[in-house]
Amino acid sequence: MSCVPKHLDARSGRTAFTLIELIAVIVITAILAGVAVPAMNSITNSRGMGAARSIALHLGFARERALNSGNRVWVAFDIKDESYSLRAEPDGGSGYDDALSLTDPTTGRQMGFTLGQGEFVGIGITSASFVGSSPGATPIVGFDWLGSPLAQSGSALGSTGTVVLSSGTAIEVRVFTGIIRIVQ
């Protein structure tokens, strides 16, 4: 007794699928594809929002640290490496160049993040713009003791700064107030 269906058994003379069988397979494949594609888009959107929340939290931490310590705190974005890092000026510091890398007290690692890996695979930093920063230079935003955003030069940010992710999600740093907001 054979496990091969009779219409596919080589001994019966038929070795091909029927038209109805082929159509059924195509229909099932189309239905599965119709379900899978929106699910994949949803995953990308979730990763983009997660990355945006991470950046917004780090920007918020930098602002709060500046408010609490009275020293300027800086966040530098590296578009090429799809990463960012946090630095804080020591007492008497005179700008970003004097700032030291912040370390996470729980892990002992440098504060910041690299996108495009781990839970944020496929998500990168498309652009970062903070008016008042030098053209072509690393996009850097700082916060002073009032929580106000600063350009790398140390002057007040000229307009709302933005970080745009490859998912289309953007993070804004509002001029004057330094309030951080995620925009889709």
Side-chain angles (χ1 to χ4, degrees):
M1 181 136 210
S2 173
C3 293
V4 177
K6 195 168 201 151
H7 66 280
L8 295 179
D9 191 356
R11 292 174 289 183
S12 70
R14 289 186 57 206
T15 59
F17 292 104
T18 66
L19 181 59
I20 291 179
E21 289 170 329
L22 288 174
I23 290 173
V25 168
I26 291 170
V27 167
I28 290 170
T29 304
I31 289 170
L32 290 175
V35 169
V37 169
M40 295 304 284
N41 287 338
S42 177
I43 289 170
T44 301
N45 289 342
S46 295
R47 286 182 178 166
M49 281 304 292
R53 278 193 291 278
S54 178
I55 293 170
L57 286 171
H58 278 112
L59 285 166
F61 173 81
R63 183 173 181 265
E64 291 296 322
R65 169 129 182 183
L67 283 164
N68 291 328
S69 70
N71 294 329
R72 292 184 280 195
V73 179
W74 303 91
V75 182
F77 293 88
D78 187 333
I79 307 299
K80 184 179 66 115
D81 289 339
E82 298 184 341
S83 64
Y84 61 94
S85 60
L86 282 74
R87 299 171 65 98
E89 287 182 32
D91 290 336
S94 61
Y96 175 78
D97 293 334
D98 291 340
L100 306 171
S101 293
L102 284 175
T103 55
D104 185 331
T106 58
T107 64
R109 292 186 295 199
Q110 180 180 345
M111 291 190 81
F113 207 77
T114 301
L115 300 175
Q117 60 189 14
E119 67 266 33
F120 301 129
V121 69
I123 303 297
I125 300 172
T126 304
S127 67
S129 172
F130 302 100
V131 173
S133 295
S134 305
T138 301
I140 296 171
V141 64
F143 297 94
D144 65 12
W145 64 278
L146 293 171
S148 299
L150 304 170
Q152 183 179 358
S153 63
S155 62
L157 204 59
S159 65
T160 297
T162 359
V163 178
V164 180
L165 303 179
S166 58
S167 64
T169 307
I171 302 94
E172 290 182 346
V173 178
R174 295 289 180 100
V175 68
F176 305 122
T177 62
I179 292 174
I180 293 110
R181 189 173 80 117
I182 297 173
V183 181
Q184 280 196 293

